[in-house]
Amino acid sequence: AQSVTQLGSHVSVSEGALVLLRCNYSSSVPPYLFWYVQYPNQGLQLLLKYTSAATLVKGINGFEAEFKKSETSFHLTKPSAHMSDAAEYFCAVSESDSWGKLQFGAGTQVVVTP
Amino acid sequence: GAVVSQHPSWVICKSGTSVKIECRSLDFQATTMFWYRQFPKQSLMLMATSNEGSKATYEQGVEKDKFLINHASLTLSTLTVTSAHPEDSSFYICSARDSRGRSTDTQYFGPGTRLTVL
């Protein structure tokens, strides 16, 4: 069975500061891992994904995430927060290569302060 | 990028009535669509996988007779909540996979439908 844990339901970060969102997973087989962002009243948008290639994955909007098997983690980072980064972020895991049946974390609400 | 729409964006209905939610892929064909449910402050939970031209596959614990899914074309899947009750009030989100090979490894999500049952 697969599962995802996101540490921290709310994160507040100053504009220009580092954004760090934590995600730990549990999977019985090598996982495929995703980060999605959801802006108010909008659908989920894929930020980046890990597909067993490079462990450091670069995504859109300056975000990146590193897959660490030993720590079963896939933390999301961005060096410098922008006001437009305020949104809900979801980590998700899939155990198949069909890209279906995503198991989502509870989500982390990011607030960016001036 | 690929766009998925949902209609309606919100709906309020009386207990005991049925509500239909549409999920459309606007600029691509979707062999597979997924339906999720999201409670306030909670994660998205997969309800069912909808494949065009075949019966939907429901996740454990999801009542197939209560949540009817139809995927009659490559661009449209519908979710009907039958005999809705207040506990069915939730945010329903669909997603679709592009089946043309351009981006077969990405799910595109709709904006969601807020259902409130009085």
Side-chain angles (χ1 to χ4, degrees):
Chain A
Q2 56 194 19
S3 66
V4 175
T5 302
Q6 289 183 240
L7 298 178
S9 59
H10 286 81
V11 169
S12 181
V13 59
S14 299
E15 189 175 18
L18 172 71
V19 179
L20 171 60
L21 303 183
R22 300 179 185 275
C23 173
N24 288 87
Y25 70 91
S26 172
S27 177
S28 57
V29 298
Y32 296 94
L33 295 159
F34 308 80
W35 274 100
Y36 285 88
V37 61
Q38 184 178 32
Y39 297 101
N41 301 315
Q42 294 187 30
L44 276 70
Q45 181 182 10
L46 181 67
L47 278 176
L48 48 80
K49 59 188 177 187
Y50 167 74
T51 60
S52 74
T55 56
L56 182 62
V57 182
K58 294 187 182 297
I60 63 173
N61 302 340
F63 284 94
E64 64 180 36
E66 185 172 9
F67 172 71
K68 292 186 176 181
K69 183 178 179 180
S70 61
E71 299 178 8
T72 61
S73 68
F74 190 57
H75 302 332
L76 180 71
T77 61
K78 181 174 180 177
S80 178
H82 191 273
M83 296 299 289
S84 61
D85 294 327
E88 185 90 18
Y89 292 80
F90 292 95
C91 181
V93 63
S94 173
E95 286 188 338
S96 70
D97 59 1
S98 65
W99 312 107
K101 292 203 171 186
L102 292 171
Q103 181 73 39
F104 283 90
T108 298
Q109 182 72 46
V110 172
V111 175
V112 182
T113 57
Chain B
V3 178
V4 175
S5 70
Q6 283 185 239
H7 178 79
S9 56
W10 60 271
V11 58
I12 301 173
C13 69
K14 294 182 178 180
S15 184
T17 60
S18 295
V19 174
K20 179 183 286 187
I21 302 170
E22 294 184 347
C23 177
R24 293 181 184 271
S25 55
L26 298 185
D27 53 359
F28 66 98
Q29 293 181 321
T31 304
T32 304
M33 290 183 172
F34 304 89
W35 286 97
Y36 297 84
R37 186 174 181 179
Q38 185 179 28
F39 290 105
K41 309 294 185 182
Q42 295 189 29
S43 179
L44 282 76
M45 301 296 294
L46 179 65
M47 299 174 66
T49 302
S50 169
N51 292 297
E52 187 266 337
S54 63
K55 292 184 178 181
T57 302
Y58 290 82
E59 294 300 300
Q60 190 174 7
V62 178
E63 299 176 61
K64 62 179 65 176
D65 294 330
K66 181 167 188 60
F67 298 100
L68 300 179
I69 292 173
N70 183 277
H71 192 162
S73 77
L74 285 172
T75 59
L76 173 65
S77 176
T78 61
L79 168 68
T80 301
V81 183
T82 62
S83 187
H85 291 283
E87 58 266 29
D88 298 324
S89 298
S90 187
F91 194 52
Y92 293 88
I93 303 174
C94 73
S95 70
R97 277 170 46 193
D98 187 332
S99 62
R100 290 181 294 175
R102 182 181 62 194
S103 299
T104 54
D105 57 352
T106 298
Q107 285 188 39
Y108 299 99
F109 283 80
T113 297
R114 176 75 60 190
L115 170 63
T116 301
V117 184
L118 302 177

